[in-house]
Each structure stands twice: as C-alpha cells, then as structure tokens.
Amino acid sequence: MKIAILPGDGIGTEIVEQAVRVLNVLDLRFESETALVGGAAYEAHGHPLPESTLNLAKAADAVLFGAVGDWKYDKLERALRPEQAILGLRKHLGLFANFRPALCYEQLTHASSLKPELVAGLDILIIRELTGDIYFGQPRGRRTAVDGHFPGAEEAFDTMRYSRPEIERIAHVAFQAARKRHKKVTSVDKANVLETFQFWKDVVTEVHAQYPDVELEHMYVDNAAMQLVRAPKKFDVVVTGNMFGDILSDEAAMLTGSIGMLPSASLDKNGKGLYEPSHGSAPDIAGKGVANPLATILSAAMMLRFSLNQGAAADRIESAVQAVLAAGLRTADIWSEGTQRVGTREMGDAVVASLAGKAIGKTITTKS
Ligand code: NAD
C-alpha cells in the first residue's frame, strides 16, 4: 500500500500531521511519501500541482489531502491559484464520485444550529458528481449579447451539461452505497426548469430498475435545501450533480455542528480515492494550533475502508474519535460549557492514546 500525503496550505499541514500520527500507531504496513501542493507548491515550484506531485498521486493507492488556498493568492491568474490543484487532481485521477457523510455525534448534538432532536442520530451520505455540470461545461466566457433583455450589453455565460454515462455511473454508485445503508436514495434535480436535470432524472430512474431493493425518490433542489433543515433524518443517501452537491453538502455539514468534523472521499471507478476534510485551509486560524483535526483523521479512516481494504482499522479510528468526544475533549470549533478545550496536537494525542489503549485524559498537557 502506498499513500501520497499532500498537506497543502494553512491548517492543512497541522491537521494532516495528526492524521499521519494516527495511521502510524495502527501498525499497518504502508509506504507513504509527502509532497507539496497548492500555494506551498506554487511558492516552491511556480505551480500549484507540480508534475512530481501529480505523478506521486497517480502512483499511490490513495491520496490523503489537507487543504489548499490562501487569500494572498487571490490576485494570481486562475490557472496558478492553489484551488486549481484540487481540480487538477480530480481530473487526472478520474475522481468522479464525492462522498460526504454527515454524521451527528451524540456528544455534539448541541453544537448544531438546529434543535438537538432534529439532528440527534443524524447519519446521511451526500454523493456529489464531480466531473460534469455547469462547472466544466463548454462553451463558457464573456461576450456581447446578441439577444435577451439587453442586446449589445456585455454578458457572461456557462454551459450546464451531463452525458448519459456520467449520470449512469454516479447513479450506480449511489444505489450501491444505499444497499450498504438504509436502502433509500434521494436524487436531487431541477427537472421542472432545466433540460439537463430532466435528463438526469430520466437516467437515474432507468438505472434504478436494476436496484429494486432500494427506494428511489426524486426531489427538486430548492425543496431538498429546505428539507435538509426541516427534517434531515428523513434522508439516507442523497445523489446530485456537481453544483447542487457543492451547496447541499456544505449545508448538511453545518447540521452536524462543525465543518471541522466532516471527512470526505472522492473516488475513481476502481475505488482509488483522494481523502480530505470537507473544509478549506482556514487561513484565519492557521498556525495557531487550534484547528480541529478530526475531519482529517476521519478521512484517513475512510481511506483505509474504501481504498486500502482495512475496514477493521477504520472502525478502530472511528471508535477512538467517539471515545475522545465522550471523554469531553473539544477543539474551539466544537467547544461548549463543561467540556475541555484542547488544541490540534492535543486532540491528535488523545486519538493516538485511545488507539494505544491508554487513558485519554492523561495525555492532555494544555488546557485553556
Ligand atoms: P474554510 O473551510 O477554510 O473556513 C471556513 C470557516 O471554518 C473558518 O472560520 C475556519 O476557521 C473554520 N474552519 C475550517 N476548518 C476548520 C477546522 N478544521 N477546525 C476549526 N475551524 C475550522 O473556508 P473559507 O474560509 O471559505 O476558505 C479558506 C481558503 O480555503 C480559501 O482559499 C478557499 O479557496 C480554500 N478552500 C479549499 C478547499 C480545499 O482545499 N478542498 C475547500 C474549501 C475552501
């Protein structure tokens, strides 16, 4: 097993360090190699995704990724901005299915902005298509309008498109994932307005014929956004396109209390994947040692389960995270009265201690 480790920028380096410590304590046999990506790679090599980093990611069985980006790169031309690294990796590795579980831990129900009874026990999985939709459709650009409400005015345009195979493969992924869960898929579209999403709905319905044991419901995206805050526990697997998935997965993230708790996986057709926390590089707290490393640690668990066939080790990490929360340890983003505030490293120490069978509290050296 070979893991490419790409910490990236901002809090990326701090949180990935903790995830690597957790992997190392598990006594698994794997090789790992670390490389620069994002703004850090731009500073060193003039490009956010240097060829050496891309080749390392291609050769590995899985990629553990931190986060990229910083406001200081906002003025760079788009192709050189740190965020292009993640788009490049998705494209070159053929990553088309983004898994974002939104799980509300019992101890954190009060950290959610919704009433505890709405989120207690929440366990939903958002599957976002990653390669198509309006984010990549051509043509796109700026021009002078020849028609519309203001002919002759400057305008910008993008193209929303999905091909049949793109929809079929993500639909199969969703139905197969639902089979391992509560056997329900909600396909989110905007078929009442958009041709692309009428086609999406038709193709998902056709694929469903191969999964009679799974329930399928269709929901318009505006209603899905509403239902996610009204009755989120009614969902099991949600499958949707690139743009709707981008928005809904962030909404679902907040149901669980903090984006610092949420892992994600982006998979290719063979199960190789890139694993990263759902959040960004958080420049506002970078270098302060306060970032929550649990989303990255849980991403490492997803990596063991999905790409490295180490489900038992993944279970152990998830149990250790539960134990640490049960012991009352909290980083600032999830802290509440009566719990113990710890930093990034101390949270990592605690997960490592739990995995090693040691008392969690004994490892804590800093309090605030
Ligand atoms: P962000 O996710 O980095 O931060 C949003 C808020 O959440 C901030 O207040 C931050 O402090 C907090 N936060 C995020 N992760 C946290 C953690 N682990 N623990 C505690 N608090 C945490 O989003 P943003 O501020 O919109 O973007 C910052 C940079 O990250 C931008 O350059 C953006 O382009 C980039 N970004 C990168 C990725 C990626 O690498 N996949 C994803 C999203 C944003």
Side-chain angles (χ1 to χ4, degrees):
M1 297 191 297
K2 179 155 186 182
I3 305 172
I5 297 177
L6 311 182
D9 307 319
I11 61 168
T13 48
E14 302 166 45
I15 53 183
V16 167
E17 185 188 345
Q18 301 312 316
V20 170
R21 292 178 65 215
V22 166
L23 286 171
N24 284 337
V25 84
L26 285 170
D27 223 11
L28 301 169
R29 271 191 293 164
F30 66 86
E31 269 178 57
S32 69
E33 197 176 328
T34 303
L36 295 175
V37 73
Y42 172 76
E43 302 283 353
H45 304 292
H47 197 278
L49 183 58
E51 213 167 302
S52 53
T53 301
L54 180 59
N55 288 339
L56 173 68
K58 282 182 177 166
D61 298 297
V63 179
L64 184 62
F65 190 92
V68 291
D70 192 294
W71 316 126
K72 69 181 177 192
Y73 302 113
D74 281 359
K75 291 210 164 61
L76 278 181
E77 64 173 280
R78 192 168 294 282
L80 295 179
R81 288 194 203 159
E83 294 79 3
Q84 293 302 312
I86 191 89
L87 297 177
L89 282 165
R90 282 178 189 160
K91 185 171 149 208
H92 290 291
L93 300 182
L95 308 174
F96 71 93
N98 183 227
F99 280 53
R100 281 236 213 156
L103 201 84
C104 191
Y105 289 89
E106 194 192 323
Q107 297 84 2
L108 298 184
T109 46
H110 289 278
S112 170
S113 47
L114 293 193
K115 292 183 198 129
E117 62 269 28
L118 287 183
V119 292
L122 179 76
D123 177 7
I124 60 184
L125 173 63
I126 302 214
I127 299 182
R128 166 186 169 198
E129 202 289 328
L130 275 185
T131 61
D133 209 344
I134 199 163
Y135 287 7
F136 295 102
Q138 295 289 345
R140 60 196 288 160
R142 292 190 183 199
R143 63 187 172 194
T144 301
V146 291
D147 50 17
H149 294 300
F150 295 98
E154 188 186 6
E155 71 172 8
F157 64 103
D158 298 278
T159 303
M160 179 176 272
R161 57 194 289 182
Y162 261 120
S163 65
R164 174 177 281 279
E166 278 175 313
I167 305 170
E168 282 175 349
R169 67 182 179 177
I170 197 77
H172 281 294
V173 167
F175 289 122
Q176 282 162 19
R179 273 190 171 157
K180 295 185 196 143
R181 296 173 44 96
H182 302 289
K183 296 193 169 58
K184 180 176 170 190
V185 169
T186 304
S187 170
V188 173
D189 63 56
K190 190 71 184 169
N192 48 346
V193 179
L194 298 169
E195 202 54 52
T196 311
F197 274 92
Q198 181 60 55
F199 184 53
W200 170 283
K201 186 173 181 176
D202 295 345
V203 175
V204 171
T205 305
E206 280 173 41
V207 173
H208 178 231
Q210 296 174 47
Y211 300 88
D213 53 320
V214 179
E215 182 193 342
L216 170 65
E217 76 174 341
H218 300 280
M219 194 177 280
Y220 296 140
V221 64
D222 39 350
N223 187 24
M226 190 169 74
Q227 297 305 328
L228 267 176
V229 288
R230 198 185 74 87
K233 285 192 265 185
K234 286 198 174 153
F235 293 101
D236 178 20
V237 174
V238 175
V239 65
T240 189
N242 208 344
M243 180 164 65
F244 299 157
D246 192 1
I247 300 164
L248 293 181
S249 57
D250 266 22
E251 187 188 356
M254 277 324 293
L255 301 177
T256 68
S258 170
I259 200 156
M261 291 298 301
L262 291 175
S264 82
S266 301
L267 302 177
D268 77 356
K269 61 181 189 319
N270 300 316
K272 172 172 170 168
L274 180 144
Y275 298 83
E276 57 172 333
S278 296
H279 57 74
S281 54
D284 54 335
I285 55 167
K288 296 184 178 161
V290 297
N292 187 345
L294 294 179
T296 316
I297 290 171
L298 292 166
S299 300
M302 284 182 92
M303 174 178 79
L304 293 175
R305 180 173 294 120
F306 287 118
S307 291
L308 303 178
N309 203 18
Q310 296 285 342
D315 290 345
R316 284 186 62 204
I317 294 179
E318 287 162 359
S319 302
V321 168
Q322 294 263 19
V324 164
L325 292 175
L329 271 54
R330 305 282 189 272
T331 41
D333 56 311
I334 51 174
W335 180 83
S336 61
E337 210 59 57
T339 60
Q340 185 183 356
R341 191 192 295 251
V342 296
T344 311
R345 171 133 200 131
E346 292 77 36
M347 192 56 113
D349 286 345
V351 177
V352 166
S354 174
L355 284 166
K358 295 188 188 144
I360 292 167
K362 293 231 166 67
T363 64
I364 305 303
T365 49
T366 16
K367 286 185 206 171
S368 55

